[in-house]
Amino acid sequence: MKAYSTQAGRTYDSWEDLVAEEATGYGVVVMMQAESLKSGKTQTYSRLIGPFADQKKARNKAAAVRRAWKHTKDRDPRIQLLSVAVEPIWPDLRFGTRD
């Protein structure tokens, strides 16, 4: 199946080809959910760990996050891990900037 890049205006033979050509690395996205102490409402938030130059390093970090979550004994029980995913980082995402 073909993949089209709206940023570059190019068509690639597959999604993997598009990612290999245009992604600037990989990041580990950690999604969590917690109950607010004040309001009692559920809050969902995410954290990005990275960037990593190649997908294998990002996958290793994702596995390390999952293992650490399982083995943490003193974790607050109100916080839940929803998912850990490895995602490509695109050129329009800038790290270390606040603008």
Side-chain angles (χ1 to χ4, degrees):
M1 184 164 87
K2 302 273 186 191
Y4 178 73
S5 168
T6 57
Q7 290 183 349
R10 290 183 57 195
T11 301
Y12 294 91
D13 290 333
S14 68
W15 174 253
E16 291 78 18
D17 291 344
L18 186 150
V19 171
E21 186 69 28
E22 296 189 18
T24 58
Y26 293 89
V28 177
V29 180
V30 181
M31 296 285 298
M32 294 172 278
Q33 196 171 53
E35 181 183 318
S36 171
L37 288 173
K38 291 183 180 180
S39 67
K41 293 182 181 178
T42 301
Q43 301 171 328
T44 303
Y45 53 98
S46 63
R47 297 289 183 262
L48 177 66
I49 303 169
F52 297 94
D54 61 52
Q55 193 174 24
K56 184 175 181 179
K57 289 181 181 178
R59 285 182 180 162
N60 288 343
K61 183 63 174 181
V65 168
R66 289 184 194 101
R67 283 191 306 271
W69 187 267
K70 283 183 181 179
H71 298 296
T72 304
K73 303 291 185 208
D74 57 350
R75 183 179 65 243
D76 188 336
R78 292 170 296 140
I79 301 173
Q80 297 177 349
L81 181 66
L82 297 179
S83 74
V84 178
V86 175
E87 297 292 337
I89 297 174
W90 304 105
D92 58 346
L93 295 178
R94 292 174 284 167
F95 286 91
T97 62
R98 293 185 177 231
D99 49 340

Coordinates of all heavy atoms in Angstrom, one line a residue:
M1 N 0.8 -1.2 0.0 CA 0.0 0.0 0.0 C 0.9 1.2 0.0 O 1.9 1.3 0.7 CB -0.9 0.0 1.2 CG -1.9 1.1 1.2 SD -3.2 0.9 2.4 CE -2.5 1.6 3.8
K2 N 0.6 2.2 -0.8 CA 1.3 3.5 -0.9 C 1.0 4.4 0.3 O 0.0 4.3 0.9 CB 0.9 4.2 -2.2 CG 1.1 3.4 -3.4 CD 2.5 3.6 -3.9 CE 2.6 2.9 -5.3 NZ 3.9 2.8 -5.7
A3 N 2.0 5.2 0.6 CA 1.9 6.2 1.7 C 2.3 7.5 1.2 O 3.3 7.7 0.5 CB 2.8 5.8 2.9
Y4 N 1.4 8.5 1.5 CA 1.7 9.9 1.0 C 2.1 10.8 2.1 O 1.5 10.8 3.2 CB 0.4 10.4 0.3 CG 0.6 11.8 -0.2 CD1 1.3 12.1 -1.3 CD2 0.0 12.9 0.5 CE1 1.5 13.4 -1.8 CE2 0.1 14.2 0.0 CZ 0.9 14.4 -1.1 OH 1.0 15.7 -1.6
S5 N 3.2 11.6 1.9 CA 3.6 12.5 2.8 C 3.1 13.9 2.5 O 3.4 14.5 1.5 CB 5.2 12.6 2.8 OG 5.6 13.7 3.6
T6 N 2.3 14.5 3.4 CA 1.8 15.8 3.2 C 2.8 16.9 3.4 O 2.7 18.0 2.8 CB 0.6 16.1 4.1 OG1 1.0 15.9 5.5 CG2 -0.6 15.2 3.8
Q7 N 3.8 16.6 4.2 CA 4.9 17.6 4.4 C 5.8 17.7 3.2 O 6.2 18.8 2.9 CB 5.7 17.2 5.7 CG 5.0 17.4 6.9 CD 5.8 17.1 8.2 OE1 6.9 16.5 8.0 NE2 5.3 17.4 9.3
A8 N 6.2 16.6 2.6 CA 7.1 16.6 1.5 C 6.4 16.5 0.1 O 7.0 16.8 -0.9 CB 8.1 15.4 1.6
G9 N 5.1 16.2 0.2 CA 4.4 16.1 -1.1 C 4.8 14.9 -2.0 O 4.7 14.9 -3.2
R10 N 5.3 13.9 -1.3 CA 5.8 12.7 -2.0 C 5.0 11.5 -1.7 O 4.4 11.4 -0.6 CB 7.3 12.4 -1.6 CG 8.3 13.4 -2.2 CD 9.7 13.0 -1.8 NE 10.0 11.7 -2.3 CZ 11.1 11.0 -1.9 NH1 11.9 11.5 -1.0 NH2 11.3 9.8 -2.4
T11 N 5.0 10.5 -2.6 CA 4.3 9.2 -2.4 C 5.4 8.2 -2.3 O 6.4 8.1 -3.0 CB 3.4 8.9 -3.6 OG1 2.4 9.9 -3.7 CG2 2.7 7.5 -3.3
Y12 N 5.3 7.3 -1.2 CA 6.3 6.2 -1.0 C 5.6 4.9 -1.2 O 4.3 4.8 -1.1 CB 6.8 6.3 0.5 CG 7.6 7.6 0.7 CD1 7.0 8.7 1.2 CD2 9.0 7.6 0.5 CE1 7.7 9.9 1.4 CE2 9.7 8.7 0.7 CZ 9.1 9.9 1.2 OH 9.8 11.0 1.4
D13 N 6.4 3.9 -1.4 CA 5.8 2.5 -1.6 C 5.1 2.0 -0.4 O 4.2 1.1 -0.5 CB 6.9 1.6 -2.1 CG 7.4 1.9 -3.5 OD1 6.6 2.5 -4.3 OD2 8.6 1.6 -3.8
S14 N 5.6 2.4 0.8 CA 5.0 1.8 2.0 C 5.1 2.8 3.2 O 5.9 3.8 3.1 CB 5.6 0.5 2.4 OG 7.0 0.7 2.8
W15 N 4.4 2.6 4.2 CA 4.6 3.5 5.4 C 6.0 3.4 6.0 O 6.5 4.4 6.4 CB 3.5 3.0 6.5 CG 3.7 3.7 7.8 CD1 4.2 3.2 8.9 CD2 3.4 5.1 8.1 NE1 4.2 4.2 9.9 CE2 3.7 5.3 9.4 CE3 2.9 6.2 7.3 CZ2 3.5 6.6 10.0 CZ3 2.7 7.4 8.0 CH2 3.0 7.6 9.3
E16 N 6.6 2.2 6.0 CA 7.9 2.0 6.5 C 8.9 2.8 5.7 O 9.8 3.4 6.3 CB 8.3 0.5 6.5 CG 7.6 -0.3 7.5 CD 6.2 -0.7 7.1 OE1 5.8 -0.6 5.9 OE2 5.4 -1.0 7.9
D17 N 8.7 2.9 4.4 CA 9.6 3.7 3.5 C 9.5 5.2 3.9 O 10.5 5.9 3.9 CB 9.3 3.5 2.1 CG 9.7 2.1 1.6 OD1 10.5 1.4 2.3 OD2 9.2 1.8 0.5
L18 N 8.3 5.7 4.1 CA 8.0 7.1 4.5 C 8.7 7.4 5.8 O 9.4 8.4 5.9 CB 6.5 7.3 4.6 CG 6.1 8.8 4.8 CD1 4.8 9.1 4.2 CD2 6.0 9.1 6.3
V19 N 8.5 6.5 6.8 CA 9.2 6.7 8.1 C 10.7 6.7 8.0 O 11.4 7.6 8.5 CB 8.7 5.7 9.1 CG1 9.5 5.8 10.4 CG2 7.2 5.8 9.4
A20 N 11.2 5.8 7.2 CA 12.7 5.7 7.1 C 13.2 7.0 6.4 O 14.3 7.4 6.8 CB 13.0 4.5 6.3
E21 N 12.5 7.5 5.5 CA 13.0 8.7 4.8 C 12.8 10.0 5.5 O 13.7 10.9 5.5 CB 12.3 8.8 3.4 CG 12.8 9.8 2.5 CD 14.2 9.5 2.0 OE1 14.5 8.4 1.8 OE2 14.9 10.5 1.7
E22 N 11.7 10.2 6.2 CA 11.4 11.5 6.8 C 11.4 11.6 8.3 O 11.5 12.7 8.8 CB 10.0 11.9 6.3 CG 9.9 12.1 4.8 CD 8.6 12.7 4.3 OE1 7.9 13.3 5.2 OE2 8.3 12.6 3.1
A23 N 11.4 10.5 9.0 CA 11.4 10.6 10.5 C 12.9 11.0 10.9 O 13.8 10.6 10.3 CB 11.0 9.3 11.1
T24 N 12.9 11.8 12.0 CA 14.3 12.2 12.5 C 14.7 11.4 13.7 O 15.7 11.7 14.3 CB 14.2 13.7 12.9 OG1 13.2 13.9 13.9 CG2 13.9 14.6 11.7
G25 N 14.0 10.3 14.0 CA 14.4 9.4 15.1 C 13.1 8.8 15.6 O 12.0 8.9 15.0
Y26 N 13.2 8.3 16.8 CA 12.1 7.6 17.5 C 12.0 8.1 18.9 O 13.0 8.4 19.5 CB 12.2 6.1 17.4 CG 12.2 5.5 16.0 CD1 13.3 5.4 15.3 CD2 11.0 5.2 15.5 CE1 13.3 5.0 14.0 CE2 10.9 4.7 14.2 CZ 12.0 4.6 13.4 OH 12.0 4.1 12.2
G27 N 10.8 8.0 19.5 CA 10.5 8.4 20.8 C 9.6 7.4 21.5 O 8.9 6.6 20.8
V28 N 9.7 7.3 22.8 CA 8.9 6.4 23.6 C 7.8 7.2 24.2 O 8.1 8.1 25.0 CB 9.7 5.6 24.6 CG1 8.8 4.7 25.5 CG2 10.8 4.8 24.0
V29 N 6.5 6.9 23.9 CA 5.4 7.7 24.4 C 4.8 6.8 25.6 O 4.4 5.7 25.3 CB 4.3 8.0 23.4 CG1 3.2 8.7 24.0 CG2 4.9 8.7 22.2
V30 N 4.7 7.4 26.8 CA 4.2 6.7 27.9 C 2.9 7.4 28.3 O 2.9 8.6 28.6 CB 5.2 6.8 29.1 CG1 4.6 6.0 30.3 CG2 6.5 6.2 28.7
M31 N 1.8 6.7 28.2 CA 0.5 7.2 28.6 C 0.1 6.7 30.0 O 0.1 5.5 30.2 CB -0.6 6.8 27.6 CG -0.4 7.3 26.2 SD -0.8 9.1 26.0 CE -2.5 9.1 26.4
M32 N -0.3 7.6 30.9 CA -0.7 7.3 32.2 C -2.0 7.9 32.6 O -2.4 8.9 31.9 CB 0.4 7.7 33.2 CG 1.7 6.9 33.0 SD 3.0 7.6 34.0 CE 3.5 9.0 33.0
Q33 N -2.7 7.4 33.6 CA -3.9 8.0 34.1 C -3.9 8.0 35.6 O -3.4 7.1 36.2 CB -5.1 7.1 33.6 CG -6.4 7.7 33.7 CD -7.5 6.8 33.1 OE1 -7.5 5.7 33.4 NE2 -8.2 7.4 32.1
A34 N -4.3 9.1 36.2 CA -4.3 9.3 37.6 C -5.5 10.0 38.1 O -6.2 10.7 37.4 CB -3.1 10.1 38.0
E35 N -5.9 9.7 39.4 CA -7.0 10.4 40.0 C -6.4 11.6 40.7 O -5.5 11.5 41.5 CB -7.6 9.4 41.0 CG -8.8 10.0 41.7 CD -9.4 9.1 42.7 OE1 -9.5 7.9 42.4 OE2 -9.7 9.5 43.8
S36 N -7.1 12.8 40.5 CA -6.6 14.0 41.1 C -6.9 13.9 42.6 O -8.0 13.5 43.1 CB -7.4 15.2 40.5 OG -7.1 16.4 41.3
L37 N -6.0 14.4 43.4 CA -6.2 14.4 44.9 C -7.2 15.4 45.3 O -8.0 15.2 46.2 CB -4.9 14.7 45.6 CG -3.8 13.7 45.6 CD1 -2.5 14.2 46.2 CD2 -4.3 12.5 46.4
K38 N -7.3 16.6 44.6 CA -8.2 17.6 45.0 C -9.6 17.3 44.5 O -10.6 17.4 45.3 CB -7.7 19.0 44.5 CG -6.5 19.5 45.1 CD -6.1 20.8 44.6 CE -4.9 21.4 45.3 NZ -4.5 22.7 44.8
S39 N -9.8 17.1 43.2 CA -11.1 16.9 42.7 C -11.6 15.5 42.6 O -12.8 15.3 42.4 CB -11.1 17.6 41.3 OG -10.4 16.8 40.4
G40 N -10.7 14.6 42.6 CA -11.1 13.2 42.4 C -11.4 12.8 40.9 O -11.8 11.7 40.7
K41 N -11.2 13.7 40.0 CA -11.4 13.5 38.6 C -10.2 12.7 38.0 O -9.1 12.9 38.5 CB -11.6 14.8 37.8 CG -12.9 15.5 38.2 CD -13.0 16.7 37.3 CE -14.3 17.5 37.7 NZ -14.4 18.8 36.9
T42 N -10.5 12.0 37.0 CA -9.5 11.2 36.3 C -8.7 12.1 35.3 O -9.3 12.9 34.6 CB -10.0 10.0 35.5 OG1 -10.7 9.2 36.5 CG2 -9.0 9.2 34.8
Q43 N -7.4 12.1 35.4 CA -6.6 12.9 34.5 C -5.7 11.9 33.7 O -5.1 11.0 34.2 CB -5.6 13.8 35.3 CG -6.4 14.8 36.1 CD -5.4 15.6 37.1 OE1 -4.4 15.1 37.5 NE2 -5.8 16.8 37.3
T44 N -5.6 12.2 32.4 CA -4.8 11.4 31.5 C -3.7 12.2 31.0 O -3.9 13.4 30.6 CB -5.6 10.8 30.3 OG1 -6.7 10.1 30.8 CG2 -4.8 9.9 29.4
Y45 N -2.5 11.7 31.0 CA -1.3 12.5 30.5 C -0.3 11.6 29.9 O -0.4 10.4 30.1 CB -0.7 13.4 31.7 CG -0.3 12.6 32.9 CD1 1.0 12.2 33.1 CD2 -1.3 12.3 33.9 CE1 1.3 11.5 34.3 CE2 -0.9 11.6 35.0 CZ 0.3 11.2 35.2 OH 0.7 10.5 36.3
S46 N 0.6 12.2 29.2 CA 1.6 11.4 28.5 C 3.0 12.1 28.7 O 3.1 13.2 29.0 CB 1.3 11.3 27.0 OG 1.4 12.5 26.4
R47 N 4.0 11.2 28.5 CA 5.4 11.7 28.6 C 6.1 11.1 27.4 O 5.9 10.0 27.0 CB 6.1 11.2 29.8 CG 5.5 11.7 31.1 CD 5.9 13.2 31.3 NE 5.4 13.7 32.5 CZ 4.2 14.4 32.7 NH1 3.4 14.6 31.7 NH2 3.9 14.9 33.9
L48 N 7.0 11.9 26.8 CA 7.8 11.5 25.7 C 9.3 11.3 26.2 O 9.8 12.2 26.7 CB 7.8 12.5 24.5 CG 8.6 12.1 23.3 CD1 8.1 10.9 22.6 CD2 8.7 13.3 22.4
I49 N 9.8 10.1 25.9 CA 11.2 9.8 26.3 C 12.0 9.7 25.0 O 11.6 9.0 24.1 CB 11.3 8.5 27.1 CG1 10.5 8.6 28.3 CG2 12.8 8.3 27.4 CD1 10.4 7.3 29.1
G50 N 13.0 10.5 24.8 CA 13.8 10.4 23.6 C 14.4 11.7 23.3 O 14.4 12.6 24.1
P51 N 14.9 11.9 22.1 CA 14.8 11.1 20.9 C 15.9 10.0 20.9 O 16.9 10.1 21.5 CB 15.1 12.1 19.8 CG 15.9 13.1 20.4 CD 15.5 13.2 21.8
F52 N 15.6 8.9 20.2 CA 16.5 7.8 19.9 C 16.8 7.8 18.5 O 16.0 8.0 17.6 CB 15.9 6.5 20.4 CG 15.7 6.5 21.9 CD1 14.4 6.8 22.4 CD2 16.6 6.1 22.8 CE1 14.1 6.7 23.7 CE2 16.4 6.1 24.1 CZ 15.1 6.4 24.6
A53 N 18.1 7.5 18.1 CA 18.5 7.5 16.7 C 17.9 6.4 15.9 O 17.5 6.5 14.8 CB 20.0 7.4 16.6
D54 N 17.7 5.2 16.6 CA 17.1 4.1 15.8 C 16.0 3.4 16.6 O 15.9 3.6 17.8 CB 18.2 3.0 15.4 CG 18.9 2.4 16.6 OD1 18.3 1.9 17.5 OD2 20.2 2.4 16.5
Q55 N 15.2 2.7 15.9 CA 14.0 2.1 16.5 C 14.4 1.0 17.6 O 13.6 0.9 18.6 CB 13.1 1.5 15.4 CG 11.7 1.2 15.9 CD 10.9 0.7 14.7 OE1 11.3 0.3 13.7 NE2 9.6 0.9 14.9
K56 N 15.4 0.3 17.4 CA 15.8 -0.8 18.4 C 16.1 -0.2 19.7 O 15.6 -0.7 20.7 CB 17.0 -1.5 17.8 CG 17.4 -2.7 18.8 CD 18.5 -3.5 18.2 CE 18.7 -4.7 19.2 NZ 19.8 -5.6 18.7
K57 N 16.8 0.9 19.8 CA 17.1 1.6 21.1 C 15.8 2.1 21.7 O 15.6 2.0 22.9 CB 18.1 2.7 20.9 CG 19.5 2.3 20.6 CD 20.4 3.5 20.4 CE 21.8 3.0 20.1 NZ 22.7 4.1 19.9
A58 N 14.9 2.6 20.9 CA 13.6 3.1 21.5 C 12.8 1.9 22.0 O 12.2 2.0 23.1 CB 12.8 3.8 20.4
R59 N 12.8 0.8 21.3 CA 12.1 -0.4 21.8 C 12.6 -1.0 23.1 O 11.9 -1.4 23.9 CB 12.1 -1.5 20.7 CG 11.2 -1.2 19.5 CD 11.2 -2.4 18.5 NE 10.3 -2.1 17.4 CZ 10.4 -2.7 16.3 NH1 11.3 -3.6 16.1 NH2 9.5 -2.4 15.3
N60 N 14.0 -0.9 23.2 CA 14.6 -1.4 24.4 C 14.2 -0.5 25.6 O 14.0 -1.0 26.7 CB 16.1 -1.4 24.2 CG 16.6 -2.5 23.4 OD1 15.9 -3.5 23.1 ND2 17.8 -2.4 22.9
K61 N 14.2 0.8 25.3 CA 13.7 1.8 26.4 C 12.3 1.5 26.8 O 11.9 1.5 27.9 CB 14.0 3.2 25.9 CG 13.6 4.2 27.0 CD 14.5 4.0 28.2 CE 14.3 5.1 29.2 NZ 15.2 5.0 30.4
A62 N 11.4 1.3 25.8 CA 10.0 1.0 26.1 C 9.9 -0.3 26.9 O 9.1 -0.3 27.9 CB 9.2 0.8 24.8
A63 N 10.6 -1.3 26.6 CA 10.6 -2.5 27.4 C 11.1 -2.2 28.8 O 10.5 -2.8 29.8 CB 11.4 -3.6 26.7
A64 N 12.1 -1.4 29.0 CA 12.6 -1.1 30.3 C 11.6 -0.3 31.1 O 11.4 -0.5 32.3 CB 13.9 -0.2 30.2
V65 N 10.8 0.6 30.5 CA 9.8 1.3 31.1 C 8.7 0.4 31.6 O 8.3 0.4 32.8 CB 9.2 2.4 30.2 CG1 7.9 3.0 30.8 CG2 10.2 3.5 30.0
R66 N 8.3 -0.6 30.8 CA 7.3 -1.6 31.2 C 7.8 -2.4 32.4 O 7.0 -2.7 33.3 CB 6.9 -2.5 30.0 CG 6.1 -1.8 29.0 CD 5.7 -2.7 27.9 NE 5.3 -2.0 26.7 CZ 6.0 -1.8 25.6 NH1 7.2 -2.3 25.5 NH2 5.5 -1.2 24.6
R67 N 9.0 -2.9 32.3 CA 9.6 -3.7 33.4 C 9.7 -2.9 34.7 O 9.3 -3.4 35.8 CB 11.0 -4.2 33.0 CG 11.0 -5.4 32.1 CD 12.4 -6.0 32.0 NE 13.4 -5.0 31.6 CZ 13.8 -4.7 30.4 NH1 13.2 -5.3 29.4 NH2 14.7 -3.8 30.2
A68 N 10.1 -1.7 34.6 CA 10.2 -0.8 35.8 C 8.8 -0.6 36.4 O 8.7 -0.6 37.6 CB 10.9 0.5 35.4
W69 N 7.8 -0.4 35.6 CA 6.5 -0.2 36.1 C 6.0 -1.4 36.8 O 5.4 -1.3 37.9 CB 5.5 0.2 34.9 CG 4.2 0.6 35.4 CD1 3.1 -0.3 35.6 CD2 3.8 1.9 35.8 NE1 2.0 0.5 36.1 CE2 2.4 1.8 36.2 CE3 4.4 3.1 35.9 CZ2 1.7 2.9 36.7 CZ3 3.7 4.2 36.3 CH2 2.4 4.1 36.7
K70 N 6.3 -2.6 36.3 CA 5.8 -3.8 37.0 C 6.5 -4.0 38.3 O 5.9 -4.6 39.3 CB 6.1 -5.0 36.1 CG 5.2 -5.2 35.0 CD 5.6 -6.5 34.2 CE 4.7 -6.7 33.1 NZ 5.0 -8.0 32.3
H71 N 7.7 -3.6 38.5 CA 8.5 -3.9 39.6 C 8.5 -2.8 40.7 O 9.1 -3.0 41.7 CB 10.0 -4.3 39.2 CG 10.0 -5.5 38.4 ND1 9.6 -6.8 38.8 CD2 10.4 -5.7 37.1 CE1 9.8 -7.6 37.9 NE2 10.2 -7.0 36.8
T72 N 7.9 -1.7 40.4 CA 7.9 -0.6 41.4 C 6.9 -0.9 42.5 O 5.7 -1.0 42.2 CB 7.5 0.7 40.7 OG1 8.5 0.9 39.7 CG2 7.6 1.9 41.7
K73 N 7.3 -1.1 43.7 CA 6.5 -1.5 44.8 C 5.8 -0.4 45.5 O 4.7 -0.4 46.0 CB 7.3 -2.3 45.8 CG 7.9 -3.6 45.3 CD 6.9 -4.6 44.9 CE 7.7 -5.9 44.4 NZ 7.0 -6.7 43.5
D74 N 6.5 0.8 45.5 CA 6.0 1.9 46.3 C 5.3 2.9 45.4 O 5.1 4.1 45.8 CB 7.1 2.6 47.0 CG 8.3 3.1 46.1 OD1 8.2 2.7 44.9 OD2 9.1 3.8 46.6
R75 N 4.8 2.5 44.3 CA 4.1 3.4 43.4 C 2.7 3.7 43.9 O 2.0 2.9 44.6 CB 3.9 2.7 42.0 CG 3.2 3.5 40.9 CD 3.1 2.8 39.6 NE 2.3 1.6 39.8 CZ 2.7 0.4 39.6 NH1 4.0 0.1 39.3 NH2 1.9 -0.7 39.7
D76 N 2.2 4.9 43.7 CA 0.9 5.3 44.1 C -0.1 4.5 43.3 O -0.1 4.4 42.1 CB 0.7 6.8 43.7 CG -0.5 7.4 44.3 OD1 -1.5 6.7 44.6 OD2 -0.6 8.6 44.5
P77 N -1.0 3.8 44.1 CA -2.0 2.9 43.4 C -3.0 3.6 42.5 O -3.7 3.0 41.7 CB -2.7 2.2 44.6 CG -2.4 3.0 45.7 CD -1.2 3.8 45.5
R78 N -3.1 5.0 42.7 CA -4.1 5.7 41.9 C -3.6 6.0 40.5 O -4.3 6.4 39.6 CB -4.4 7.1 42.5 CG -5.2 6.9 43.8 CD -5.3 8.2 44.6 NE -3.9 8.6 44.9 CZ -3.4 9.8 44.9 NH1 -4.2 10.8 44.5 NH2 -2.2 10.1 45.2
I79 N -2.3 5.8 40.2 CA -1.7 6.0 38.9 C -1.7 4.7 38.1 O -1.2 3.7 38.6 CB -0.3 6.6 39.0 CG1 -0.3 7.9 39.8 CG2 0.3 6.8 37.6 CD1 1.1 8.4 40.1
Q80 N -2.2 4.7 36.9 CA -2.2 3.5 36.1 C -1.5 3.8 34.8 O -1.5 4.9 34.2 CB -3.7 3.2 35.7 CG -4.6 2.8 36.8 CD -6.0 2.6 36.3 OE1 -6.3 2.9 35.2 NE2 -6.8 2.0 37.2
L81 N -0.7 2.8 34.3 CA -0.1 2.8 33.1 C -1.0 2.4 32.0 O -1.5 1.3 32.0 CB 1.2 1.9 33.1 CG 2.0 1.9 31.8 CD1 2.7 3.3 31.6 CD2 3.1 0.8 31.9
L82 N -1.3 3.3 31.0 CA -2.3 2.9 30.0 C -1.6 2.3 28.8 O -2.0 1.2 28.3 CB -3.0 4.2 29.5 CG -3.9 4.9 30.5 CD1 -4.5 6.1 29.9 CD2 -4.9 3.9 31.1
S83 N -0.5 2.8 28.4 CA 0.3 2.3 27.2 C 1.7 2.8 27.1 O 2.0 3.9 27.6 CB -0.5 2.5 25.9 OG -0.3 3.8 25.5
V84 N 2.5 2.0 26.5 CA 3.9 2.5 26.2 C 4.1 2.1 24.7 O 3.9 1.0 24.3 CB 4.9 1.7 27.0 CG1 6.3 2.2 26.6 CG2 4.7 2.0 28.5
A85 N 4.4 3.1 23.9 CA 4.5 2.9 22.4 C 5.8 3.6 21.9 O 6.2 4.6 22.4 CB 3.3 3.5 21.7
V86 N 6.3 3.0 20.9 CA 7.4 3.6 20.1 C 6.9 4.3 18.9 O 6.2 3.6 18.1 CB 8.5 2.5 19.7 CG1 9.6 3.1 18.9 CG2 9.1 1.9 21.0
E87 N 7.1 5.6 18.7 CA 6.6 6.3 17.6 C 7.7 7.1 16.9 O 8.7 7.5 17.6 CB 5.6 7.3 18.1 CG 4.3 6.7 18.8 CD 3.5 6.0 17.8 OE1 3.5 6.2 16.6 OE2 2.7 5.1 18.2
P88 N 7.6 7.3 15.6 CA 8.6 8.1 14.9 C 8.4 9.5 15.3 O 7.4 10.0 15.6 CB 8.2 7.9 13.4 CG 6.9 7.3 13.4 CD 6.6 6.7 14.7
I89 N 9.5 10.3 15.2 CA 9.6 11.7 15.5 C 9.7 12.4 14.2 O 10.6 12.1 13.4 CB 10.7 12.1 16.5 CG1 10.5 11.4 17.8 CG2 10.8 13.6 16.6 CD1 11.6 11.6 18.8
W90 N 8.8 13.3 13.9 CA 8.8 14.1 12.6 C 9.6 15.4 12.8 O 9.7 15.9 13.9 CB 7.4 14.3 12.2 CG 6.6 13.0 12.1 CD1 5.7 12.5 13.0 CD2 6.8 11.9 11.2 NE1 5.3 11.3 12.6 CE2 6.0 10.9 11.5 CE3 7.6 11.8 10.0 CZ2 5.9 9.7 10.8 CZ3 7.6 10.6 9.3 CH2 6.7 9.6 9.7
P91 N 10.1 15.9 11.7 CA 10.9 17.1 11.7 C 10.2 18.4 12.3 O 10.8 19.2 12.8 CB 11.2 17.4 10.2 CG 11.0 16.1 9.6 CD 10.0 15.3 10.3
D92 N 8.9 18.4 12.3 CA 8.2 19.6 12.9 C 8.1 19.6 14.4 O 7.7 20.5 15.0 CB 6.8 19.8 12.3 CG 5.9 18.5 12.5 OD1 6.4 17.5 12.9 OD2 4.7 18.7 12.3
L93 N 8.6 18.5 15.0 CA 8.6 18.4 16.5 C 10.0 18.9 16.9 O 11.0 18.3 16.5 CB 8.4 17.0 17.0 CG 7.0 16.5 16.8 CD1 6.9 15.0 17.3 CD2 5.9 17.3 17.4
R94 N 10.1 19.9 17.7 CA 11.4 20.4 18.2 C 11.5 20.1 19.7 O 10.7 20.4 20.5 CB 11.5 21.9 17.9 CG 11.6 22.2 16.4 CD 11.5 23.6 16.2 NE 10.1 24.1 16.3 CZ 9.7 25.3 16.4 NH1 10.6 26.3 16.4 NH2 8.5 25.6 16.6
F95 N 12.7 19.6 20.1 CA 13.0 19.3 21.5 C 13.7 20.4 22.1 O 14.6 21.0 21.4 CB 13.8 18.0 21.6 CG 13.0 16.8 21.3 CD1 12.9 16.3 20.0 CD2 12.3 16.2 22.3 CE1 12.1 15.2 19.8 CE2 11.5 15.1 22.1 CZ 11.4 14.5 20.8
G96 N 13.4 20.7 23.3 CA 14.2 21.7 24.1 C 13.9 23.2 23.7 O 14.6 24.1 24.1
T97 N 12.7 23.4 23.0 CA 12.3 24.8 22.7 C 11.0 25.0 23.4 O 10.2 24.1 23.7 CB 12.2 25.0 21.2 OG1 11.2 24.1 20.7 CG2 13.5 24.7 20.5
R98 N 10.7 26.3 23.6 CA 9.4 26.6 24.3 C 8.6 27.6 23.4 O 7.7 28.3 23.9 CB 9.7 27.3 25.6 CG 10.3 26.4 26.6 CD 10.4 27.1 27.9 NE 11.0 26.1 28.8 CZ 10.4 25.9 30.0 NH1 9.4 26.6 30.4 NH2 10.9 25.0 30.8
D99 N 8.8 27.6 22.1 CA 8.0 28.4 21.2 C 7.0 27.7 20.4 O 6.7 26.6 20.5 CB 8.9 29.3 20.3 CG 9.9 28.5 19.6 OD1 10.3 27.4 20.1 OD2 10.5 29.0 18.6

